[in-house]
Amino acid sequence: HYPYISVLCSYWCGLRTIKGIGRRYVGKRIFSNRSIQVVIGDGRSKRAKIERFFEDDVPEGTLLNGTVINEKALEDTIRGTWSKHGIKERNVDLVLNSPHLMARRIEMPCLSGNKATHYIMNEADEKEIARFSDPVTGWYPLVKNKKTQNVVSETAEKEFIETYIKIFGAVGIRLNSIHNGINLAVNMMQTQVGRGTVVYMILDGMTLTTMLFTGGAYFNNLSTRVYSQTGTIEFAGEIRNAVSSIRQFATAQHIEEPISDIYVAGLNADEMNSLIAEMQGYPLADVIKPIVCPPNVSMRSGREKFGSFIFSFAGLFDTVGGVTLLEALKKSSAKYESKKNVLKVVIP
């Protein structure tokens, strides 16, 4: 087992660190535009045990939508967090929610390694890929059948990935992988959705992510910007709009099962009570409730804070197999060096 730490950003980034042999400790760190969350515990592919978790401030202007604006400030923040909380681990996995890290869930033939990567790139939407000038694509499997498999593919700009490698390297920390956080959260929540039609709404700063599950399967997520203050009538109106949008999607997909539960994350108890009160009279008001910590996430205390740390906790769950973005980056760099050396021979 490799002990690890994870870091997240919010848009946010998350990181896992790996240490020694024996018990696997996980520290997870989440960066939003305003704060860092760190979660330390024991993670596996289907469960996580949380030992401790905390949140630190990030200086204003350090991050924007997952893009590093001030590298020195981020370096100092990471260094300070490691020192303040006595974190010893130096190998980490980074989790990012950012428009600059595109993720897709697709069904494809049972291919592996480079063959799978080539298939994913060939099947990608040309307009989506066109916004990357130098894309790097990784992937990991979810479910494998006899002839097909469901995977998550992740694509980011080469420079975007290298910036994070550089920053963590400057603090003496090595990145093991980089993953999209929303899909990790989907994987974690899917273990408890049952067979009904369930909606999860996760408020992270000013971003609201709405996830739809039905029949035990994940269908879609929608991220929107929230402009109203939590606890107000206007905020409740934005929640209603988000629910309406996901219901329209469900109708378009011919999902006949009515929504049985709407779980909301990212609000404190007072804000949640206010939302429920303001939603009275809305057709789905009776099924709106605060998110609960799933049984595959255990902790000694603080379960009521699960909704505010949901992306960081999700980063503790392992992804097994596939090709990580960092592995894809190394292969891309190796190809570039090979071509450059050929040019040196042909054109001395």
Side-chain angles (χ1 to χ4, degrees):
H1 299 304
Y2 299 146
Y4 61 69
I5 277 192
S6 39
V7 179
L8 294 143
C9 240
S10 204
Y11 283 81
W12 43 264
C13 47
L15 128 106
R16 301 183 296 191
T17 66
I18 303 177
K19 68 178 180 185
I21 298 175
R23 186 178 179 186
R24 184 176 193 182
Y25 289 91
V26 179
K28 167 144 199 177
R29 195 159 153 191
I30 294 183
F31 294 148
S32 75
N33 293 334
R34 305 158 304 171
S35 64
I36 297 175
Q37 292 181 353
V38 180
V39 178
I40 298 174
D42 180 10
R44 297 292 186 273
S45 61
K46 295 184 179 180
R47 68 183 189 277
K49 181 179 180 181
I50 311 302
E51 297 292 337
R52 60 190 177 116
F53 54 95
F54 37 83
E55 188 170 17
D56 289 345
D57 291 335
V58 172
E60 185 176 353
T62 301
L63 293 162
L64 180 63
N65 295 342
T67 298
V68 181
I69 306 301
N70 188 330
E71 293 186 15
K72 180 62 167 57
L74 184 53
E75 287 178 19
D76 291 343
T77 299
I78 297 169
R79 186 179 291 109
T81 297
W82 250 246
S83 175
K84 176 182 176 181
H85 299 286
I87 301 170
K88 304 299 182 183
E89 292 80 1
R90 293 289 167 176
N91 295 310
V92 309
D93 293 285
L94 183 65
V95 183
L96 293 165
N97 268 353
S98 169
H100 306 293
L101 175 51
M102 181 182 72
R104 297 184 302 133
R105 301 169 81 91
I106 61 176
E107 183 178 11
M108 60 176 284
C110 287
L111 304 172
S112 60
N114 291 335
K115 290 183 179 180
T117 302
H118 290 319
Y119 180 92
I120 290 168
M121 294 179 69
N122 289 336
E123 294 296 314
D125 187 293
E126 292 184 3
K127 291 182 179 179
E128 290 182 341
I129 294 297
R131 62 190 178 93
F132 298 100
S133 60
D134 193 3
V136 175
T137 296
W139 62 277
Y140 59 89
L142 297 172
V143 179
K144 183 174 287 189
N145 303 308
K146 288 185 178 180
K147 295 183 178 181
T148 62
Q149 60 182 340
N150 295 326
V151 308
V152 172
S153 71
E154 300 171 316
T155 300
E157 201 74 66
K158 181 179 180 182
E159 183 181 3
F160 180 79
I161 300 172
E162 290 176 334
T163 297
Y164 278 103
I165 294 174
K166 173 186 172 184
I167 291 171
F168 281 98
V171 190
I173 297 172
R174 185 175 73 87
L175 292 182
N176 296 311
S177 69
I178 297 177
H179 286 300
N180 168 272
I182 290 178
N183 280 280
L184 293 179
V186 167
N187 298 343
M188 178 178 67
M189 303 317 297
Q190 191 164 2
T191 62
Q192 65 164 354
V193 296
R195 304 301 299 176
T197 298
V198 179
V199 172
Y200 287 93
M201 309 188 79
I202 305 170
L203 181 66
D204 181 23
M206 295 179 66
T207 302
L208 179 68
T209 300
T210 305
M211 302 174 181
L212 174 66
F213 297 84
T214 188
Y218 164 76
F219 260 77
N220 190 36
N221 78 78
L222 174 68
S223 291
T224 55
R225 201 75 165 163
V226 174
Y227 296 97
S228 304
Q229 179 66 38
T230 55
T232 64
I233 296 176
E234 291 76 15
F235 177 75
E238 295 199 55
I239 294 295
R240 284 196 294 270
N241 291 340
V243 173
S244 295
S245 295
I246 208 73
R247 289 179 71 189
Q248 289 174 13
F249 172 82
T251 300
Q253 297 299 312
H254 306 290
I255 298 173
E256 298 180 357
E257 181 80 19
I259 295 175
S260 58
D261 300 283
I262 299 176
Y263 293 104
V264 181
L267 301 179
N268 61 36
D270 290 340
E271 292 168 338
M272 190 68 219
N273 290 335
S274 175
L275 173 63
I276 292 174
E278 296 294 349
M279 295 291 284
Q280 294 306 310
Y282 181 66
L284 293 173
D286 292 341
V287 301
I288 295 175
K289 60 196 73 173
I291 198 168
V292 294
C293 185
N296 59 339
V297 177
S298 62
M299 63 186 78
R300 297 173 182 173
S301 61
R303 294 179 70 86
E304 71 280 359
K305 296 182 180 179
F306 170 78
S308 297
F309 283 75
I310 189 168
F311 290 120
S312 53
F313 288 169
L316 300 184
F317 290 81
D318 286 342
T319 58
V320 181
V323 178
T324 69
L325 279 170
L326 297 188
E327 291 170 339
L329 176 65
K330 288 180 182 178
K331 293 178 181 180
S332 173
S333 298
K335 281 186 179 180
Y336 173 76
E337 289 298 324
S338 176
K339 288 182 180 178
K340 188 169 68 173
N341 289 335
V342 169
L343 286 173
K344 286 181 179 178
V345 173
V346 176
I347 309 174

